[in-house]
Structures are given as structure tokens and as C-alpha cells.
Amino acid sequence: MKLTIIGTGYVGLVTGACFAEVGHQVICVDSDTAKVKLLQDGGIPIYEPGLDELVAKNVAASRLSFTSSTAEAVARSDVIFIGVPTPPLPDGSVDLSFIEKVAREIAAAMTSYKIVVDKSTVPVRTGNKVAETIKRYCKAQVDFDVVSNPEFLREGFAVEDLMKPDRIVIGVRSQRPVPAMKEIFAPFDAPVIVTDISSAELIKHASNSFLALKISYINAISAICEATGANVQEVANGMGMDKRIGRRFLDASLGFGGSCFPKDLSAFIKISEQVGYDFGLLKEVQRINAQQMDRFVKKIIETLWVLKDKKIGVLGLAFKQNTDDVRMSPAIELCQRLQKEGALLRVHDPQAMEKARPLLQGVTYVADMNEVAEGCDALVIATEWEAFKKLDLERVRKVMTHPILLDGRNLFDVAEMERLGFIYKSIGR
Ligand SMILES: NC(=O)c1ccc[n+]([C@@H]2O[C@H](COP(=O)([O-])OP(=O)(O)OC[C@H]3O[C@@H](n4cnc5c(N)ncnc54)[C@H](O)[C@@H]3O)[C@@H](O)[C@H]2O)c1
């Protein structure tokens, strides 16, 4: 099918590449002309495992192309996906101006029936607003359908998630766009559920909020473990073997971040408030998450006493492993809090250092993870990169002024670290 994706970011670019991979004809649009030029020249603006090969292969096969012209892409496509940002406003609600602008741009370019699919994460009832806007601004007065198709990919595993999704959610107002939507997703061999638009929009916010809740739940348990001498990993393993609970999202840490969970939680709390429901449970999820960071910073201060002029190495800047995304990263927040206390930081991330630079200044960026600890009073693990598990711990211990390792991601074995001569503090163990 002939598809357009508007917004060529973490969601749009991977979606476009995967649609092309299964044989669709895809045009990716972005208003950032520098990004479009980079893509047209064979570059990739984000780090996502497997994405560069997928893009190169499908560009070479003439199934994937890039433009900054929405009008040109709309004219050449039957189905238009919207994947633009929906960032938070200061009061926690969602800034829908990107969506509204794109709806107007699509409307202005439409001269025949189109299916307009919202893939961005939006508050319930946004689909109706998009439909109203398109109707109002479409001079050609042609038929169209608005569909909600929320995206559930995980950054760092986005290609895998898009090629093998758990489910495809299609929210519609009429049955007319359903066959086309099913045809687009047929090659992915995943269960498709067709709902009304509001339910589809709610599925996304309800899912992300539930996952955040699961993380905060185990983080709360980690506090109890620390107070009682229990081990949160043992507790999580025992809980996770219950199929009704499941082991995933039960890893205690310094808290969640990223461009989705924090904003989707506050958006969902706000939407609930607007429809007359006080979602206190989700406010508690936010509170526990903030507290978890506070508890970790406190642990560092209690261990090192005064942080002023102490040299601290920090491993990890991305908000999670396998990505270069530093938006709302707990690792960056942690660095900023340590800087506020006067600590001098040496930092490393396998992929996120470039994107971190504008947010985190006055630190030393270190290219080799094994050199971060040099001359440090403590080393902190802030992101759960697999690569950090292969740290040369003997070397790290020798080059530090004192072998203190504070692990915000529980990457190492407690007994083993003690055997190696570290003062090792982690989460809930
Ligand atoms: N990143 C994720 O893991 C993830 C997962 C699921 C859902 N989502 C949702 O998907 C949406 C997009 O997220 P993202 O992380 O891909 O954002 P992003 O910032 O990486 O990408 C958005 C892109 O849209 C472009 N853009 C903005 N206005 C435009 C316009 N008028 N025309 C064309 N392009 C325009 C931007 O230049 C940018 O390249 C958000 O609603 C987000 O909540 C994100």
C-alpha cells in the first residue's frame, strides 16, 4: 500500500522502515529539513539497533523515501500516519499543537479519499478533534476517515517490536477504513483488535501507566527490602513466576524516565481529572518514582558524606539501555543532582553522549567505559546497558581512590563485588 508517515522520529522512522520492509511504498515526512537531508544522504538521526541496515535496504529497493513536503507525500499516499511529538505542558496536560498543525496540513493537501491514522500518543477523544479539524480545513471537501493506531514499541528494541508486535490496535469511527488497515498490518502476523477511537486511545495511556505502576511497585518493595535485609531480586523472581503477575517490569532501579512514561502518566492523570475522576493511584506512582531517585541520591551522600569536589564516575546517560535517547533520563537528572552537591563528574554512555552534551555541561565525557573510574571517589551505574556488565572490575578497583560502586540498576552480584573488594551498594539488596 502507499503510505505516508508524518514525523520521522523514534516512532515514525522505525515504523516507516518496517512498513517498507514488508513491501509497502512509504514516504517519511519531517518538518526538520536538516533531518530529512541527513536521511536523504544515507545518514540515520537516531540510534536504534538494526535500523540503519533496514533503512538502507529499503531506500535501495525504492520502497522508502524522505521529504519535508507534507503536501507532496499526501498526494502520493492512500493512508497517512501521524507520528509527531505530543510533549507535556507545564500543567501535565498534552501539547496537541503538533497534531493540530499536521491535521491542517493534511486537510489542505487532500484531493481524494484518505485514511488519516494517529500513531502519536494522545489523550482520549483527540481523534474526534482531528476529524473536525480536517473537515474544517479541507477545501476539496473529500471523504476521509480518522483512525487511532497507538504505538507500543520500546526504544532500543523498536525494530523487533514493530516487526513482531504483541497486538495491533485499530480504533475507528466507521468500518470503511478497516480492510485497508488490516491489509497494512497483515504481513506482521499479529492479533488485530478493532475498537472505537476512544478505546484505542485509552489502551495506550492505560498500558503505559500500568507499566509505570509495575516499576513503582517493585521500587516500593525495594525500600521494604532495604529496611528488612531482604533481596528485591529474589522477591521479584518469586512474584514473577506467578503467570498472573509476570517477571517483566519488576526490576528495581533508581526510577523510570524517558520521553513516554513520565509524560503519559501526567497526561492520563490530567485527562482523568478533566472527566471527573481523581486517579490518585497514578499520582502515587509518580511520587514513588521521585522518591526512588531521592533515596538513591541520599545513599550516595550517606556513603561519600560531603560531595563537594569529590570525583564521581557515572556510567550511563540514556534513559535506558540500547538507545541514545536522553529525554527525561533519570541518569541525566542524577548527574545534575550530584553536580548541585558540588561533585565533579566523569561520564560515559555507549550511545548517548552526543545527545547528552547540550543537557549536561561541566562534566568530563570519557570515550572508554573502563577509564571513567580513573581517580574517582565513587563509580555510579545509572543506565542498565549490557556492556557495563563487562566492565573490567579489577582495573576499575585499582584506578579509583576508593573502590566504592553505587549501582542504580542492580547489574552486579553483591557477593562477587564484595569478593572483589568493592564497597558495593545497589537497590533493594
Ligand atoms: N519514542 C517512543 O518510544 C514512543 C513509543 C510509543 C509512542 N510514542 C509516541 O509517538 C509520538 C512521537 O514520538 P517520538 O519519540 O517518535 O518523537 P520524536 O521527537 O523522536 O519525533 C517526532 C518528529 O516529528 C517531527 N515533526 C514535528 N512537527 C512536524 C510537522 N508538522 N510535520 C512533520 N514532522 C514534524 C519532528 O521534527 C520529529 O522529527 C509521541 O506522541 C510519543 O508519545 C513514542
Side-chain angles (χ1 to χ4, degrees):
M1 295 200 56
K2 291 192 180 120
L3 312 177
T4 278
I5 322 278
I6 303 181
T8 311
Y10 285 88
V11 166
L13 181 56
V14 188
T15 305
C18 291
F19 279 163
E21 176 67 11
V22 298
H24 299 306
Q25 199 65 42
V26 183
I27 308 173
C28 283
V29 182
D30 208 285
S31 53
D32 179 342
T33 48
K35 192 180 264 192
V36 172
K37 170 98 179 45
L38 176 75
L39 285 158
Q40 285 170 339
D41 291 346
I44 300 284
I46 55 169
Y47 172 74
E48 192 59 52
L51 183 62
D52 42 3
E53 299 104 81
L54 206 63
V55 169
K57 181 180 161 198
N58 285 286
V59 168
S62 304
R63 284 192 298 263
L64 180 62
S65 62
F66 305 98
T67 176
S68 52
S69 167
T70 299
E72 175 201 322
V74 169
R76 286 169 45 203
S77 304
D78 305 314
V79 183
I80 297 123
F81 287 80
I82 303 175
V84 295
T86 47
L89 289 167
D91 70 349
S93 64
V94 183
D95 178 356
L96 289 166
S97 61
F98 295 88
I99 299 274
E100 194 266 351
K101 184 162 181 275
V102 169
R104 277 188 283 124
E105 286 168 357
I106 296 170
M110 278 176 13
T111 53
S112 58
Y113 173 76
K114 305 283 175 192
I115 299 173
V116 180
V117 186
D118 173 45
K119 214 174 218 329
S120 295
T121 302
V122 293
V124 58
R125 299 198 290 217
T126 299
N128 293 340
K129 290 283 176 201
V130 169
E132 269 173 34
T133 305
I134 294 178
K135 195 157 195 288
R136 195 172 297 150
Y137 287 90
C138 179
K139 287 217 172 66
Q141 292 293 317
V142 288
D143 264 5
F144 67 92
D145 272 297
V146 168
V147 173
S148 166
N149 169 229
E151 181 49 60
F152 302 98
L153 66 81
R154 297 162 300 162
E155 282 181 27
F157 304 89
V159 172
E160 189 184 321
D161 287 349
L162 271 160
M163 294 308 289
K164 291 191 204 110
D166 287 345
R167 78 303 207 184
I168 305 291
V169 176
I170 296 172
V172 291
R173 301 207 298 179
S174 81
Q175 289 304 304
R176 186 173 173 189
V178 174
M181 293 303 294
K182 285 192 169 165
E183 191 180 332
I184 292 169
F185 286 106
F188 295 97
D189 195 26
V192 174
I193 67 163
V194 179
T195 68
D196 60 278
I197 292 191
S198 291
S199 302
E201 290 166 336
L202 269 176
I203 287 170
K204 175 63 189 177
H205 268 142
S207 300
N208 266 11
S209 299
F210 189 80
L211 292 172
L213 180 148
K214 223 177 154 186
I215 297 173
S216 276
Y217 188 80
I218 201 65
N219 281 338
I221 301 289
S222 78
I224 309 290
C225 287
E226 286 176 18
T228 56
N231 180 328
V232 74
Q233 275 175 324
E234 307 278 8
V235 176
N237 290 343
M239 286 172 66
M241 286 169 82
D242 185 327
K243 288 195 187 71
R244 294 169 302 177
I245 298 173
R247 177 64 179 80
R248 293 169 76 186
F249 283 78
L250 287 182
D251 289 315
S253 70
L254 46 69
F256 60 77
S259 70
C260 290
F261 283 2
K263 92 165 161 71
D264 291 351
L265 260 182
S266 45
F268 202 25
I269 290 169
K270 200 73 194 172
I271 298 153
S272 307
E273 192 183 298
Q274 284 161 2
V275 298
Y277 182 74
D278 177 9
F279 217 145
L281 178 67
L282 296 186
K283 292 179 188 165
E284 193 58 21
V285 169
Q286 290 180 316
R287 198 184 64 80
I288 293 169
N289 196 50
Q291 224 178 35
Q292 197 71 356
M293 175 64 80
D294 292 344
R295 292 197 320 112
F296 191 61
V297 172
K298 193 165 158 231
K299 198 175 282 186
I300 298 174
I301 294 173
E302 275 171 4
T303 310
L304 296 178
W305 189 24
V306 173
L307 295 196
K308 189 167 184 312
D309 295 334
K310 290 258 164 69
K311 219 187 237 185
I312 301 179
V314 179
L315 286 174
L317 297 168
F319 83 95
K320 62 183 224 176
Q321 64 169 323
N322 279 357
T323 182
D324 61 350
D325 197 347
V326 292
R327 293 177 287 181
M328 302 281 287
S329 169
I332 301 276
E333 185 190 336
L334 177 67
C335 288
Q336 288 164 343
R337 298 213 16 196
L338 298 179
Q339 276 186 316
K340 244 195 205 139
E341 296 289 328
L344 307 169
L345 304 184
R346 289 169 61 74
V347 303
H348 168 83
D349 189 282
Q351 293 292 340
M353 295 209 277
E354 276 321 303
K355 291 205 167 138
R357 274 178 211 275
L359 301 177
L360 190 62
Q361 283 146 16
V363 304
T364 306
Y365 285 90
V366 183
D368 181 342
M369 70 171 177
N370 284 308
E371 286 173 10
V372 171
E374 238 151 72
C376 285
D377 300 282
L379 183 65
V380 175
I381 311 270
T383 308
E384 73 278 27
W385 280 95
E386 271 300 304
F388 296 160
K389 291 186 182 165
K390 300 199 182 81
L391 203 61
D392 183 345
L393 291 167
E394 287 286 357
R395 174 172 164 191
V396 164
R397 187 173 49 79
K398 282 191 198 128
V399 299
M400 294 181 76
T401 58
H402 211 78
I404 297 173
L405 205 151
L406 294 129
D407 186 351
R409 298 287 177 176
N410 287 352
L411 292 191
F412 298 106
D413 181 69
V414 179
E416 175 66 5
M417 292 304 281
E418 279 164 11
R419 193 189 64 75
L420 286 167
F422 281 94
I423 294 170
Y424 177 68
K425 299 192 179 176
S426 53
I427 309 278
R429 306 187 298 173

